[in-house]
């Protein structure tokens, strides 16, 4: 296990340094260097301004990228509004009244179109870069983002419901869900570290605080009672760890203390000495290693089945397909 931990970042970077779409065209870090040299700086500026205005937005932008990639690949399909003949992903169980940040993506797209003097940067690439820039803005380490994705021209509510993991899954189902995306247990534990950022609605953690007392610290549970009563409002928010606007390893430390807000998070640490437990302990005590491996895992996530070459399109407006 130690050897696997040490080598994870290197393996992921080597494996995905030339991620290809179905067309065979590779994603590259310098994809917009000539076509729009101001693209990345523009995205970073708009993301930074949004997070200064509302620090919680950083977690929301990371989540948008994750939920996009888990449904037929990183293709910007999550951003499409419903139409008369298509019900998209925005009202999927994991997204409805939960995923947010669409307005920030709209602002980024508008700013990038201006900076590029036209429609050059895809919405899928904007999601990937905005996620990275959010991590950095909240204290995390930077990592290269490979670019050149194109945008889907359709979206599917059913595919989203089938593909995005829900917060009530046990560990075997989580592992199987990630495996279906070509991701490993290691990827699952590392990418779950993004839950050091952000909040969750009461509807997603109510069952845990009232029915999972065996794995939940009593004092932590009691701190949530008034906020999320057994019945009533589903909307009250609670932070996923004690530092919801700082990219750190507090999330892993919380799992070891029975402070996981969500059932799925506590599933990663059950105190039985399994591989998942060992990974959680490792990252709880090694913030630098977590930062390195998280960047590598995000690179791997961003390489899930991108559209490239002549596939898809580059949307002028991230909410709607281009009009011919």
């Amino acid at each position: 296990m130690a050897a696997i931990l040490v080598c994870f970042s290197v393996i992921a970077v080597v494996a995905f340094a030339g991620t290809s779409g179905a067309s065979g065209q590779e994603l590259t870090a310098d994809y917009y260097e000539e076509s729009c040299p101001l693209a990345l700086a523009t995205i970073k500026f708009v993301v930074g301004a949004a997070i200064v205005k509302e620090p919680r937005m950083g977690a929301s932008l990371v989540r948008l990228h994750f939920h996009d990639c888990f449904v037929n690949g990183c293709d910007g399909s999550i951003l499409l509004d419903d139409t008369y003949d298509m019900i998209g992903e925005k009202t999927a169980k994991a997204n409805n009244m939960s995923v947010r940040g669409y307005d920030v993506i709209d602002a980024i797209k508008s700013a990038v179109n201006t900076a590029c003097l036209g429609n050059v940067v895809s919405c899928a690439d904007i999601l990937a870069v905005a996620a990275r820039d959010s991590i950095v803005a909240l204290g995390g380490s930077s990592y290269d983002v490979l670019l050149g994705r194109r945008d889907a021209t359709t979206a599917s509510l059913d595919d989203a419901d089938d593909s995005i993991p829900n917060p009530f899954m046990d560990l075997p189902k989580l592992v199987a869900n990630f495996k279906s995306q070509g991701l490993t247990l290691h990827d699952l534990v590392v990418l779950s570290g993004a839950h050091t950022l952000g909040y969750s609605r009461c509807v997603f953690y109510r069952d845990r605080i009232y029915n999972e007392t065996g794995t939940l610290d009593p004092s932590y549970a009691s701190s949530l009672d008034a906020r999320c009563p057994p019945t009533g409002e589903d909307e009250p928010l609670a932070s996923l760890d004690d530092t919801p606007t700082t990219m750190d390893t507090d999330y892993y430390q919380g799992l070891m203390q029975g402070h996981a807000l969500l059932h799925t998070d506590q599933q990663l640490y059950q105190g039985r000495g399994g591989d998942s437990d060992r990974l959680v302990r490792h990252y709880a005590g090694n913030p630098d290693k977590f930062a390195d491996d998280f960047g590598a895992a995000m690179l791997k996530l961003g390489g899930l089945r991108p559209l490239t070459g002549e596939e898809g399109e580059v949307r002028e407006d991230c909410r709607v397909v281009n009009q011919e």
Side-chain angles (χ1 to χ4, degrees):
M1 175 61 70
I4 294 173
L5 291 170
V6 170
C7 296
F8 177 71
S9 297
V10 175
I11 291 171
V13 171
V14 171
F16 288 88
T19 298
S20 299
S23 71
Q25 181 173 316
E26 290 189 348
L27 304 181
T28 62
D30 60 354
Y31 186 81
Y32 296 109
E33 191 170 275
E34 294 185 6
S35 59
C36 186
L38 295 177
L40 299 188
T42 302
I43 296 171
K44 182 177 181 179
F45 177 81
V46 179
V47 168
I51 291 175
V52 167
K53 181 178 180 181
E54 183 192 7
R56 178 188 167 203
M57 184 54 67
S60 299
L61 294 175
V62 174
R63 192 168 181 227
L64 261 178
H65 179 48
F66 180 91
H67 283 214
D68 180 49
C69 291
F70 258 57
V71 185
N72 300 318
C74 307
D75 60 4
S77 58
I78 194 172
L79 303 173
L80 286 171
D81 288 341
D82 293 350
T83 67
Y84 73 93
D85 61 352
M86 183 199 77
I87 301 177
E89 300 166 26
K90 290 184 176 180
T91 54
K93 294 173 184 176
N95 296 338
N96 191 35
M97 300 179 66
S98 181
V99 169
R100 55 200 293 274
Y102 300 112
D103 54 337
V104 175
I105 300 300
D106 291 340
I108 294 171
K109 181 61 174 173
S110 177
V112 168
N113 283 357
T114 298
C116 299
L117 303 178
N119 183 33
V120 175
V121 181
S122 70
C123 301
D125 276 348
I126 286 173
L127 287 175
V129 176
R132 188 270 310 277
D133 290 347
S134 295
I135 294 295
V136 174
L138 296 175
S141 298
S142 188
Y143 55 90
D144 285 337
V145 177
L146 301 185
L147 302 167
R149 300 168 191 81
R150 288 169 64 85
D151 298 322
T153 56
T154 189
S156 169
L157 174 70
D158 290 340
D159 287 350
D161 281 337
D162 289 342
S163 302
I164 302 172
N166 70 64
F168 310 109
M169 286 181 170
D170 292 333
L171 184 59
K173 286 189 176 182
L174 279 172
V175 171
N177 178 275
F178 271 62
K179 184 177 180 180
S180 72
Q181 302 285 350
L183 301 172
T184 65
L185 171 66
H186 202 150
D187 298 321
L188 165 62
V189 176
V190 176
L191 290 170
S192 294
H195 280 185
T196 192
L197 302 174
Y199 299 78
S200 180
R201 296 164 60 216
C202 171
V203 66
F204 293 130
Y205 64 85
R206 175 181 282 126
D207 188 67
R208 170 152 169 76
I209 64 176
Y210 294 108
N211 296 314
E212 296 185 22
T213 55
T215 61
L216 190 65
D217 176 64
S219 62
Y220 175 64
S222 65
S223 73
L224 298 169
D225 287 350
R227 188 175 306 168
C228 183
T231 59
E233 295 261 344
D234 288 339
E235 302 311 311
L237 299 175
S239 61
L240 291 167
D241 77 356
D242 291 335
T243 57
T245 58
T246 302
M247 190 67 185
D248 55 23
T249 57
D250 187 78
Y251 165 78
Y252 295 111
Q253 295 162 16
L255 300 189
M256 296 169 63
Q257 299 163 0
H259 288 188
L261 183 68
L262 302 178
H263 172 80
T264 43
D265 287 334
Q266 196 62 64
Q267 286 289 294
L268 301 183
Y269 188 84
Q270 301 180 39
R272 299 172 184 170
D275 287 346
S276 181
D277 284 3
R278 286 192 286 271
L279 286 164
V280 167
R281 285 197 299 270
H282 177 75
Y283 289 125
N286 293 276
D288 290 342
K289 194 66 174 70
F290 167 65
D292 290 343
D293 287 359
F294 183 80
M298 288 294 284
L299 184 66
K300 189 173 181 180
L301 173 70
L304 295 181
R305 304 185 304 282
L307 301 175
T308 59
E310 297 301 314
E311 301 170 312
E313 64 182 15
V314 176
R315 280 186 231 133
E316 179 81 24
D317 178 338
C318 290
R319 292 177 181 263
V320 296
V321 299
N322 296 337
Q323 302 299 310
E324 296 183 0

